Amino acid sequence: MEKFSWAIQDGLLRKITGKLQSLWMEIPGRCNLACRYCFACAGEKLEEAKLMTWETIEKMLEEAARLGVTSFGIPGAGEPLLPVNQRLTMRIIRKCAELKIFVSLFTTSEFITEELADELFDLPVELLVKCNTLDPELQDRFVSDPKRGRIIHGYGTKRNARIQLLMEKGFADEAKCRAMFGRKSRLGLVTSIMTSEEGELSNLDHVANILRFCRRNNLIFDSDSVLKRGRGIACGLSLGDEEYKQKVFELQRIDREEFSNEWTPTQSYVGGPACDRCFHHLYVDQYGIVHPCVGAMGVELGHVTETGLEQAWNRSEMQIIRNRKYHGRCGDECANFAEGKCNSCLGRRTVNLTNASLQTDGCVTTIGCWNFRKK
């Protein structure tokens, strides 16, 4: 029976209350890497004048706390701990600590020094580290983009060293994590399962090793498919449905046979629960525009300086989403959706998801996935 007793990313598996409980916010999209699959096109043109000020962010966090948000995520729209972003990131984490909000920080990890690791350990934060493969040389290829003339050297080696440092500091020590913040682990490895048509760049044969490393060392295993947003749209690394399905079933078998973890495959997190953010979550981009989630950027719910979070949460478009008014292959035909075992990813399994489509159709139109099960 699925209990998901091992570590999962914070913010998932929330009780459905109809209230906002989790919030993600982008850090400015500055990055020293050049991942060809980056959902945010990090490292490209940035509209500096439109970025949120600290005053705007602080006000937003205070409103979030008043509304009941207890989980805050900083995704990799830019590297949060890059020196030019680090001061803002740490200011946000400290403010969240003051407001009793737990933070999920997505990071390349290479800028984490011993001193910074010590400071982060005392704060309510979990670190989700980029790890497409544990092989340092192949990892460097995943964060390079030859077409843009960006070749990265040495990242994989630095990243592996930081993982070891963070483990030594106690981020994967279950007793310490539970005593401080009630978490099973505060360290995870994050990847999409990827391969190119020619196979010149692939982590298909590496994902199982990442899973094993996570299970043996009490790390969060955070894996899914490529999000077709930003550079991810044309990166050429997305698997076909059948190939992805076979890999997920292989990981399921490994987890069951080697670690006694039982779970049913879903089209969201591999080995984890179906994503339930549609019920309790909002996403704020680096310019302050509010969206339902990272995969629904075509739906704008307002700007934090004009509408705030509460008004965005109560928009008619957001009510359609959280009330699961979904039609099409997922909403009308799939038993997994009908039984609440899947919530149909807004970023991967919908078409034409915009304010206009929601207002006109009154529903989310879905296309189904490799895990479809007829009602």
Side-chain angles (χ1 to χ4, degrees):
M1 183 177 180
E2 298 157 326
K3 295 183 179 178
F4 301 110
S5 58
W6 56 96
I8 59 170
Q9 189 187 120
D10 188 67
L12 295 171
L13 294 181
R14 299 269 155 167
K15 290 183 179 180
I16 301 175
T17 64
K19 296 181 179 180
L20 180 65
Q21 300 176 60
S22 68
L23 179 71
W24 279 17
M25 188 203 82
E26 295 179 350
I27 285 291
R30 310 177 183 110
C31 190
N32 60 309
L33 301 181
C35 306
R36 68 173 81 172
Y37 53 88
C38 179
F39 72 90
C41 296
E44 297 181 29
K45 185 178 179 180
L46 192 65
E47 298 181 75
E48 297 276 352
K50 293 184 179 180
L51 293 172
M52 286 186 288
T53 64
W54 167 248
E55 289 72 23
T56 296
I57 295 171
E58 183 177 39
K59 183 178 179 181
M60 179 192 71
L61 290 173
E62 290 172 346
E63 182 189 10
R66 288 196 302 273
L67 293 174
V69 169
T70 57
S71 178
F72 184 79
I74 303 176
E79 169 46 40
L81 298 178
L82 191 72
V84 69
N85 280 338
Q86 190 174 130
R87 181 173 179 272
L88 174 61
T89 298
M90 295 306 295
R91 201 171 185 181
I92 290 169
I93 295 172
R94 293 186 196 106
K95 182 66 179 182
C96 285
E98 175 188 319
L99 296 171
K100 301 187 183 330
I101 297 174
F102 192 83
V103 178
S104 297
L105 178 66
F106 292 78
T107 176
T108 67
S109 79
E110 68 174 297
F111 300 102
I112 298 179
T113 62
E114 190 162 346
E115 293 74 21
L116 182 55
D118 287 335
E119 183 177 2
L120 288 167
F121 189 74
D122 291 332
L123 291 167
V125 61
E126 65 184 8
L127 303 176
L128 298 165
V129 176
K130 175 188 289 294
C131 184
N132 307 127
T133 169
L134 291 163
D135 180 324
E137 293 183 4
L138 181 57
Q139 179 61 78
D140 286 352
R141 292 179 59 202
F142 268 107
V143 297
S144 298
D145 189 351
K147 290 183 179 179
R148 292 192 295 138
R150 296 287 310 281
I151 307 299
I152 307 298
H153 297 288
Y155 166 67
T157 298
K158 293 176 186 175
R159 192 278 319 279
N160 285 359
R162 298 308 184 274
I163 292 171
Q164 291 301 320
L165 170 65
L166 293 169
M167 289 171 62
E168 291 167 6
K169 292 294 183 180
F171 281 87
D173 184 313
E174 182 172 356
K176 290 181 179 179
C177 291
R178 288 199 185 280
M180 293 182 72
F181 299 109
R183 298 283 293 149
K184 188 176 188 295
S185 177
R186 294 170 56 202
L187 179 62
L189 302 185
V190 181
T191 189
S192 293
I193 302 176
M194 298 178 282
T195 192
S196 60
E197 287 186 10
E198 300 79 15
E200 99 286 352
L201 186 62
S202 175
N203 68 352
L204 273 179
D205 296 331
H206 296 251
V207 177
N209 289 335
I210 299 173
L211 172 67
R212 290 185 175 104
F213 184 87
C214 288
R215 298 301 191 232
R216 289 167 181 161
N217 293 285
N218 190 38
L219 271 63
I220 300 163
F221 177 67
D222 193 310
S223 177
D224 54 17
S225 59
V226 173
L227 181 61
K228 292 185 178 181
R229 176 192 155 194
R231 291 198 292 268
I233 296 172
C235 66
L237 293 172
S238 298
L239 278 71
D241 278 0
E242 187 58 34
E243 193 172 19
Y244 187 79
K245 177 180 179 180
Q246 292 308 313
K247 180 55 60 173
V248 171
F249 275 79
E250 177 192 336
L251 296 173
Q252 180 196 36
R253 177 186 57 76
I254 290 171
D255 220 1
R256 180 182 63 250
E257 294 178 357
E258 299 181 21
F259 304 100
S260 299
N261 283 331
E262 293 286 349
W263 46 270
T264 300
T266 74
Q267 57 111 37
S268 51
Y269 295 103
V270 177
C275 181
D276 62 352
R277 289 195 176 90
C278 59
F279 298 118
H280 56 75
H281 177 82
L282 289 176
Y283 184 96
V284 182
D285 70 23
Q286 59 192 317
Y287 302 115
I289 300 172
V290 186
H291 307 269
C293 74
V294 65
M297 302 303 282
V299 179
E300 297 186 1
L301 303 173
H303 192 284
V304 289
T305 59
E306 299 166 2
T307 63
L309 297 174
E310 185 172 16
Q311 189 173 332
W313 178 248
N314 289 318
R315 283 275 298 250
S316 60
E317 297 94 329
M318 195 63 218
Q319 292 184 46
I320 289 170
I321 289 170
R322 69 172 180 266
N323 289 328
R324 295 176 98 234
K325 293 182 180 179
Y326 289 29
H327 291 300
R329 182 76 163 165
C330 303
D332 296 322
E333 303 175 34
C334 186
N336 292 322
F337 185 87
E339 296 167 9
K341 296 177 180 178
C342 178
N343 296 305
S344 189
C345 179
L346 295 178
R348 295 175 173 86
R349 300 299 166 180
T350 63
V351 291
N352 188 34
L353 187 62
T354 63
N355 291 75
S357 71
L358 290 171
Q359 291 165 0
T360 300
D361 302 334
C363 68
V364 175
T365 302
T366 60
I367 59 174
C369 78
W370 54 269
N371 204 35
F372 174 81
R373 184 167 63 91
K374 189 172 180 58
K375 286 200 292 187

